[in-house]
Amino acid sequence: MSQIPTINWVGAGLATLVSFWSLGRYDGVAHRHLHTGLDGTRARLAGMFSIAFSQTAGFGIFTGTFARWRLLPGLSPMHAAQMTAVTGLTFMGALAAICGLALVAWSPFPYAIPAGLALLAGCALACGATFFFPTLKLGKHKFRWPSLTAMAALGLWAIVDVTAAGTALWLLLPPDSGITLTTLLPAYFLALGLAIISSSPGGTGPLELAMVSLLASFDSTSILAGLFAFRLVYYLAPAVVSAVVLFWPTLLGPKTRQYQPLDVIGSRKDSPHTIAYARPRSETAVIRQNGGHLRSFGFNQLAMLDTPQTSIAFFDPVIGHAHETFAPLQQYARSRNALVCFYKCSPRVAVSARKAGWRTLRIAQDALVNPMTFTESGSSKRQLRRKLRNAEKSGIEVRDAANALPMTQLARVDRIWHEAHGVAHGTTMGRFEPGYVEGQQVFLAWQNSTIIGFATFHVAEKEWCLDLIRMGPDAPDGTGHALVRAAIAAAAEENVPCLSLAAAPDHRFADRVERGLRRFKACFDPTWQAQYIAAPNWGQLTLCLAELVRLVHRPLPVHPALPWAPSDLRKTPQGNWETGIHNEDEQNAFVFVRRA
């Protein structure tokens, strides 16, 4: 040990600081995952000292829990235990992936490469499983896995931690040991994994045995001397400092709750049932059913859905301007370890997103008609006229349900539809549920005094939007067209300037996959308006699309909606907020025409 230069001791001390700094960042990710509201400087310092204390004292689940509870007054004993468990388990998972890479790259023994590949495959499968099954239910308890974003951050900080620690050990080896950094690091990663599994205080014994065994071709005396010096710098010194801090927690600062950046920007959560009637997109009301909420950032309000992986802003802002929400929306998503995107936003919002440096992709086209000028004449509506004649010959009569909804009969039609078509898609589109339907404009198709189909529409001050359309397999040809035609006529009587037939996919394979849907909407000769998804980068955009596809095909259980009617809601005062009509959004807008 006397041969180790002073500069190496200093370098090892700096590497130790880097290692514990990364562990503090690691705790910050865990705080965001558990929604403790304590992610900040004090929380990260508490994480550093807690790990410094527990790794030397041993019995990490108990000592780490005690240290975090002691150093963070706002943390309950249960949350402290959860923090310790999350950091411990996820670190072991990250270290398993690191060891897999070390085995493949270094191959210290026979069959090391297959073992490393098996570890990497297991970690990849675990990440995939957490994406498709984000929660684990054990009896009455439900556990949420960290998001892919959290896993990526935890993996990064774990790599920084173990690399810095291994570098400290290498600097403390005697100069004539002959061990290079590239040789030492893989051996240290593997030895550290074995030491953690042993649960002995500081890994004492297993770490030394593993290092000497893996580096058997080098002088064991040099290795043991380096490990002893390493324990002084990386274990003993931090443990002494952490013990002092545990005796006097005030050294970390005042015992106050962390002031969150989101408080500064005025973030507020509101119930989806308070959504404004005078909103630019009537379809925003889908959040009444899918578990979404209204999120305000200052004077701007978005319709949001928080999923295990993402924070999704639906359509355009309900109130305010999109360009003022990009930065706070990213901050909000970061507080959840989530990705962020705008879904099915208008060209106007897509232009603002591109100016802010976000990436945009055209994913759909909205079919819009103007009820006040709509007519069935013209060659472009020849197919519509034929469908309406078929419905009329079959004795179909369409009526506005008004305030008397025959829910029993509607439920029967919905059940027949499900028997013919299977499980309904959800999340971004509605599903039948009485409280949800009561807040919509409903049109019924009658035949011989029996309801054989119905259609529901989201309603707002200046726009209606088709949501549910349900018919049995025996419904006469043209029934759906008659339902939509009646809605267009009713909207014209209400002086509604825009009716949306909802969006049709606009990707490279849409013509082959969704041909029937587009053909149905095309009968009304609508104006097609592009719809976009926008995210801060292509990686987030891709993962957000994957999450949306998963949620559409495997939707969450229906959230019962409260009885709701547009007349019950406050109208936004004209002149105070942006309330542009949906079909005017393309004015002065230009975006890149790249399609999904």
Side-chain angles (χ1 to χ4, degrees):
M1 287 178 59
S2 64
Q3 300 173 15
I4 303 172
T6 303
I7 189 66
N8 285 31
W9 288 94
V10 175
L14 293 175
T16 298
L17 287 176
V18 171
S19 176
F20 279 92
W21 170 80
S22 67
L23 290 173
R25 306 294 296 189
Y26 201 97
D27 254 44
V29 177
H31 276 289
R32 293 195 292 272
H33 172 69
L34 294 173
H35 305 302
T36 64
L38 295 173
D39 176 30
T41 303
R42 183 186 178 103
R44 291 192 285 271
L45 289 172
M48 293 168 57
F49 292 120
S50 298
I51 294 171
F53 174 72
S54 62
Q55 73 175 5
T56 302
F59 304 101
I61 188 65
F62 302 106
T63 55
T65 297
F66 165 74
R68 288 183 174 87
W69 171 76
R70 170 76 173 159
L71 296 177
L72 288 174
L75 201 66
S76 66
M78 178 59 71
H79 265 135
Q82 290 175 335
M83 279 289 303
T84 304
V86 167
T87 53
L89 291 174
T90 55
F91 183 81
M92 284 298 297
L95 186 59
I98 295 170
C99 289
L101 289 172
L103 288 170
V104 172
W106 188 38
S107 187
F109 52 81
Y111 307 108
I113 292 179
L117 292 175
L119 276 176
L120 292 175
C123 292
L125 287 174
C127 290
T130 59
F131 178 80
F132 290 104
F133 306 98
T135 57
L136 174 65
K137 191 173 183 180
L138 296 175
K140 297 181 180 180
H141 302 284
K142 184 180 290 187
F143 303 94
R144 182 172 59 91
W145 298 114
S147 65
L148 294 181
T149 304
M151 288 184 180
L154 293 171
L156 171 64
W157 298 126
I159 290 173
V160 174
D161 165 42
V162 296
T163 302
T167 302
L169 172 58
W170 178 72
L171 288 170
L172 293 172
L173 291 173
D176 59 353
S177 66
I179 303 174
T180 64
L181 181 61
T182 54
T183 301
L184 179 88
L185 285 179
Y188 174 72
F189 298 157
L190 296 171
L192 179 63
L194 295 172
I196 293 177
I197 291 174
S198 73
S199 296
S200 64
T204 305
L207 180 67
E208 286 77 4
L209 178 61
M211 288 294 294
V212 171
S213 300
L214 291 169
L215 299 174
S217 59
F218 297 95
D219 178 33
S220 60
T221 305
S222 297
I223 297 171
L224 291 174
L227 285 169
F228 189 80
F230 176 68
R231 291 199 175 279
L232 293 178
V233 173
Y234 194 84
Y235 286 87
L236 182 60
V240 170
V241 175
S242 64
V244 173
V245 174
L246 282 170
F247 275 112
W248 293 284
T250 54
L251 294 174
L252 292 183
K255 294 184 178 182
T256 56
R257 190 176 180 85
Q258 295 291 325
Y259 191 67
Q260 296 299 302
L262 286 173
D263 295 334
V264 179
I265 58 178
S267 176
R268 187 182 74 252
K269 180 179 179 179
D270 293 308
S271 167
H273 306 292
T274 63
I275 191 169
Y277 178 56
R279 59 188 185 274
R281 295 285 292 270
S282 59
E283 194 177 1
T284 310
V286 73
I287 64 169
R288 294 178 51 237
Q289 185 184 70
N290 63 12
H293 66 277
L294 294 170
R295 173 69 59 174
S296 297
F297 300 109
F299 296 108
N300 306 289
Q301 189 179 65
L302 300 174
M304 298 284 302
L305 174 63
D306 290 335
T307 77
Q309 305 293 339
T310 60
S311 288
I312 303 169
F314 279 105
F315 317 115
D316 294 6
V318 178
I319 296 172
H321 305 279
H323 68 271
E324 296 178 356
T325 64
F326 295 134
L329 187 57
Q330 283 183 267
Q331 183 118 24
Y332 171 71
R334 181 181 177 276
S335 71
R336 301 183 56 248
N337 290 325
L339 308 168
V340 63
C341 75
F342 267 89
Y343 175 69
K344 280 178 63 176
C345 60
S346 68
R348 179 183 300 173
V349 173
V351 168
S352 296
R354 285 176 62 84
K355 289 180 179 178
W358 285 33
R359 300 293 181 261
T360 60
L361 189 68
R362 183 157 56 95
I363 57 171
Q365 285 185 312
D366 215 354
L368 308 174
V369 298
N370 187 336
M372 302 172 70
T373 60
F374 185 82
T375 174
E376 299 169 16
S377 61
S379 59
S380 60
K381 299 190 180 70
R382 183 171 56 251
Q383 182 78 358
L384 174 62
R385 292 194 296 271
R386 185 175 68 82
K387 294 288 185 180
L388 293 177
R389 285 196 298 270
N390 291 341
E392 184 178 0
K393 290 177 183 178
S394 301
I396 299 299
E397 182 182 359
V398 178
R399 306 172 195 166
D400 186 343
N403 295 323
L405 287 177
M407 284 298 177
T408 303
Q409 297 183 61
L410 297 187
R412 180 185 62 82
V413 172
D414 181 72
R415 184 174 63 255
I416 293 173
W417 183 90
H418 277 279
E419 291 172 356
H421 296 86
V423 178
H425 292 167
T427 305
T428 62
M429 56 197 81
R431 290 181 288 170
F432 179 80
E433 190 271 323
Y436 179 69
V437 172
E438 284 180 7
Q440 297 182 315
Q441 196 79 18
V442 182
F443 295 86
L444 310 176
W446 295 78
Q447 186 182 44
N448 300 326
S449 302
T450 302
I451 296 177
I452 61 168
F454 66 90
T456 73
F457 290 78
H458 297 294
V459 291
E461 185 179 43
K462 295 185 178 182
E463 186 199 58
W464 289 9
C465 180
L466 176 63
D467 186 26
L468 301 176
I469 186 163
R470 296 286 189 265
M471 297 174 294
D474 299 329
D477 183 37
T479 301
H481 299 76
L483 285 165
V484 173
R485 181 65 185 94
I488 293 174
E493 293 180 3
E494 297 288 337
N495 295 320
V496 176
C498 180
L499 186 143
S500 169
L501 302 177
D506 186 28
H507 51 74
R508 301 182 189 278
F509 308 103
D511 292 339
R512 281 173 277 178
V513 178
E514 300 286 354
R515 186 178 300 173
L517 178 64
R518 182 173 285 270
R519 187 186 302 123
F520 171 77
K521 299 176 191 294
C523 288
F524 297 87
D525 190 26
T527 299
W528 295 96
Q529 183 187 87
Q531 302 293 297
Y532 295 82
I533 184 171
N537 54 61
W538 288 115
Q540 291 202 43
L541 190 148
T542 302
L543 289 173
C544 284
L545 272 177
E547 176 78 340
L548 282 163
V549 169
R550 181 185 74 85
L551 289 171
V552 166
H553 292 276
R554 296 181 57 189
L556 299 172
V558 171
H559 288 253
L562 297 174
W564 175 91
S567 58
D568 296 334
L569 300 177
R570 303 185 307 273
K571 292 188 177 182
T572 305
Q574 296 295 327
N576 291 343
W577 312 109
E578 179 184 35
T579 56
I581 300 175
H582 185 181
N583 60 353
E584 292 179 354
D585 281 346
E586 288 229 59
Q587 183 178 0
N588 299 323
F590 176 81
V591 288
F592 191 55
V593 295
R594 185 195 298 267
R595 292 196 301 166

